[in-house]
Structures are given as C-alpha cells and as structure tokens.
Amino acid sequence: MKELRLHSDISDRETVFYFTTCGWMMWNWLVSNLALGATIVLYDGSPFHPDPSAMWQMAEEFGITVFGTSAKFIAACQGYGLVPKDRHNLSLIKTILSTGSPLVEESYDYVYTSIKEDVQLSSITGGTDIISSFAGGNATLPVYRGEIQCRALGMKVESFDDSGKPLINQKGELVCTRAFPSMPVNFWNDPDGSKFHNAYFSDYPGIWTHGDYIVINDHGGVIVFGRSDATLNPAGVRIGTAEIYRVVEAFPEIEDSLAVGQQWEGDERVILFVKMNEGEQFGEELKKKLMDAIRSGCSPRHVPAKTVPVPDIPYTINGKKVEIAVKKILHGSEALNKDALANPESLLFFSDLEVLKD
C-alpha cells in the first residue's frame, strides 16, 4: 500500500497496468492496486504483437494512467524507432514505471522526447524475495536523468563500502540497516538458518545486503549499476555492468549485450558479448568504434579485453540479464536454476569458447 498510494500516488481514480508474469513480484504489486479501488489491466503475450506499438495502443484504448514496464521494453521501443506520442493519445498517462534492470540515461531522454513530456518517470528497484522496493518514485520530487528519485519509505537503505561505512556520491553495496516489514525470516529446508544467513547477512553482520551496486547522491537520488555479484573487477577496480550497457546498446547495429568478468592470469578481464540487429555484421571497424566509445564514455578500465558476437543473450522470465550463469559457464561450472530462464538454450553457446582461451 505504501508503494502504491504514497510512492506512486495511486488512488481509486487510476487505471493501472504493469507488464508482468505471475511469477514476478510486480504481479503482487499490480493486483494489490485493487485494495485501493483502482482498476487494473492484465495482459498476456508478447508486448510487440501484432506490432511494436501494441502496448501504447492498449494504453490509449483503456485509458491507462499508470503504465508499468521494464527498462528492456523502453530500450526496445527506442530501437524500433517508435514515437508513441505521435501515433497515440497518451494524455491520461501520468506515471511511467520501470524496473527489472537499471534504466539508463538515454532511456530517460527517449521517454521525455518520444513518449510524453509531462509524465513522472519512476525507475524502481527492489526484489521478488522481499516483495517490495528499496528505492522508487515520489510525485513531489523532480526526476533526474538516470536516477531513481528516492529511497523507499520504511527502508533504512544505505550504500556501504567494504568496511561497512556509509557512502555518499560513491559506489557501494546496497544494504538495509534496519529490519523492514516484508523482510523474510527464514528459508524452507534450512533448519539451522545457514543458507538464509549466507544469502543476506554474511557480508555485514546483522545488516541485510541485497546484492546491488549503487550510488546514493547528495540530493537523495539512487543510481543502480547492476548486481554486485556480477560487478566487474579488472585490476581491483569495481565496475557496474550497466555502465557498459549504456554505451554499447546505444549503437544502432547492436540489439543487446552482456558483460562478464573472466579470471585470467591472476586478474579479471572484461568480456563483452554482443547480439547484432538483424542484417548487421560484427567486424573490426565496429569493434574499434565500440572500444573508443566505451573508453570515452566510461574509462579505459571499462574497455573489454574480448568482444564476441553471440546469437542470443540469456534472460530470466522476469526480463533480467543472466550474467552470473554465463560467468559460471566461462569458468567451467554448471549454470543452475535454468527453469528461471526465458531462453535457456542461449546458454549453450557460451560453453568452451575457443576465442576466450588466449
């Protein structure tokens, strides 16, 4: 109720849509709107059927006021070259919500130039394990490009360094230093609580560590750089994968990408996998442009040691890139929980790659 009524300003006057499966926490979020008296819209199927503007057509037809989706969907709309504001009457939409992965700065630009100028764009972050958000929207605050507006009410969220000291304007671990109402208390089939402890409390005793790599800035905004367990660490410098994706996926030739770390000669090197758009080829000229863009848009540390074209990028059913599974495969381990993937067959390509043996 807190997230719906206070963070999202939803009342019984709203018509709310969130593109989600029943297995994702956003399903719980969506149906809970009924308790406020709001109308909800359910959708099953591809969001791009029968054409890429299907969701925006639906928003117009049903008078949707709160439109929830994923960062991937927004990026895909941009990739299709859609300008929904020119084709659809979206005057009733007051809020666009995005979650599932970090919403990059360019997606903020796209929303405000191509979808709607007078809209609250709320990127939110949390977890299915807590059925809640750690940071989200606020209708009374400004929207800053590339930032989540504020930390969530009832969540004592901080960014910690390795020694457990809070950080401002520096990258660190997302932690919650106080108990919160939706905090799980144990795992099934974990009689001594060791699995539960190792999942959330082993890094900082007594403090929930969620596994995201973030910055909290001096005006209270939050920037998420990706999963901390997927954080790249070349030469001991921590790099969020979202920083690389923001640059790479701005290239029109590239549909998608995945960055992971590979242990190499006592260090870690960055490996970038790219999925090309239909009709595009990966070659040395594009590779050089990519490396130059990453170097100038991020830093020399971000530049991949290897860039490899792939037929597909693995995703969970909830639309999140699967970095950890690919990293395990590169190091000879088996990827677990394949049932959670939307395209598990995509993992086959990453096994025993010759190009990564030198």
Side-chain angles (χ1 to χ4, degrees):
M1 292 302 101
K2 167 202 68 174
E3 293 185 24
L4 306 179
R5 187 69 189 96
L6 300 179
H7 280 286
S8 303
D9 193 31
I10 294 172
S11 69
D12 59 3
R13 298 185 299 273
E14 312 302 342
T15 298
V16 184
F17 166 72
Y18 218 108
F19 183 77
T20 177
T21 65
C22 297
W24 192 18
M25 68 158 283
M26 298 316 297
W27 169 262
N28 304 67
W29 189 99
L30 176 62
V31 298
S32 294
N33 282 281
L34 295 173
L36 294 174
T39 300
I40 64 173
V41 176
L42 308 182
Y43 182 87
D44 184 30
S46 168
F48 300 112
H49 178 80
D51 62 69
S53 64
M55 294 296 94
W56 304 112
Q57 179 63 35
M58 183 184 71
E60 178 181 357
E61 288 183 7
F62 288 98
I64 290 170
T65 59
V66 178
F67 184 97
T69 187
S70 65
K72 179 65 177 174
F73 173 82
I74 293 173
C77 287
Q78 184 175 9
Y80 280 120
L82 295 182
V83 185
K85 70 176 187 180
D86 290 346
R87 296 185 59 184
H88 306 285
N89 180 2
L90 304 177
S91 60
L92 294 180
I93 294 181
K94 71 172 191 177
T95 306
I96 295 176
L97 298 161
S98 171
T99 192
S101 59
L103 189 64
V104 300
E105 294 177 353
E106 289 76 10
S107 290
Y108 282 73
D109 299 338
Y110 171 71
V111 167
Y112 283 108
T113 58
S114 299
I115 300 177
K116 199 166 191 278
E117 295 178 3
D118 56 334
V119 71
Q120 179 189 357
L121 177 57
S122 293
S123 179
I124 60 180
T125 186
T128 296
D129 41 2
I130 65 171
I131 311 293
S132 191
S133 298
F134 283 121
N138 186 330
T140 68
L141 291 177
V143 175
Y144 290 92
R145 184 175 184 257
E147 296 182 15
I148 301 173
Q149 288 177 282
C150 65
R151 287 171 278 185
L153 294 167
M155 300 291 202
K156 183 60 174 171
V157 173
E158 304 283 356
S159 173
F160 270 13
D161 66 11
D162 291 340
S163 63
K165 295 180 180 178
L167 301 169
I168 295 293
N169 295 323
Q170 297 181 59
K171 297 173 186 174
E173 287 278 353
L174 189 161
V175 299
C176 196
T177 61
R178 302 276 182 87
F180 49 92
S182 61
M183 178 186 286
V185 294
N186 54 47
F187 287 162
W188 283 347
N189 301 320
D190 183 26
D192 63 356
S194 59
K195 292 181 181 178
F196 179 67
H197 176 271
N198 291 336
Y200 300 112
F201 297 102
S202 59
D203 292 341
Y204 307 102
I207 293 176
W208 179 284
T209 305
H210 197 62
D212 283 338
Y213 194 40
I214 69 167
V215 161
I216 299 173
N217 60 33
D218 49 14
H219 61 253
V222 178
I223 303 170
V224 180
F225 294 94
R227 294 289 299 171
S228 56
D229 51 7
T231 298
L232 308 172
N233 198 29
V237 179
R238 297 185 75 187
I239 294 171
T241 53
E243 301 172 65
I244 294 177
Y245 300 148
R246 180 179 64 84
V247 175
V248 173
E249 291 169 23
F251 277 73
E253 299 93 337
I254 296 174
E255 179 181 336
D256 208 348
S257 63
L258 188 83
V260 299
Q262 181 191 29
Q263 296 301 313
W264 190 260
E265 297 180 349
D267 196 0
E268 182 175 275
R269 63 180 184 176
V270 178
I271 307 297
L272 176 66
F273 298 100
V274 293
K275 178 183 178 181
M276 305 302 296
N277 270 313
E278 187 174 351
E280 300 288 350
Q281 297 291 325
F282 184 80
E284 287 301 316
E285 182 179 353
L286 177 59
K287 179 181 176 181
K288 184 179 185 305
K289 290 180 180 178
L290 270 176
M291 300 306 104
D292 290 345
I294 294 171
R295 184 177 289 105
S296 61
C298 299
S299 79
R301 294 283 188 191
H302 291 70
V303 176
K306 299 274 186 176
T307 304
V308 183
V310 295
D312 203 4
I313 299 295
Y315 274 85
T316 67
I317 294 171
N318 298 334
K320 298 182 180 182
K321 295 188 185 191
V322 183
E323 297 155 329
I324 300 304
V326 170
K327 185 174 181 178
K328 286 183 176 180
I329 291 171
L330 295 189
H331 292 98
S333 299
E334 182 181 357
L336 304 176
N337 199 22
K338 294 179 183 177
D339 291 342
L341 302 187
N343 53 344
E345 70 284 351
S346 64
L347 293 177
L348 296 174
F349 177 85
F350 298 92
S351 298
D352 200 32
L353 287 172
E354 287 294 331
V355 70
L356 300 184
K357 294 181 180 180
D358 58 30

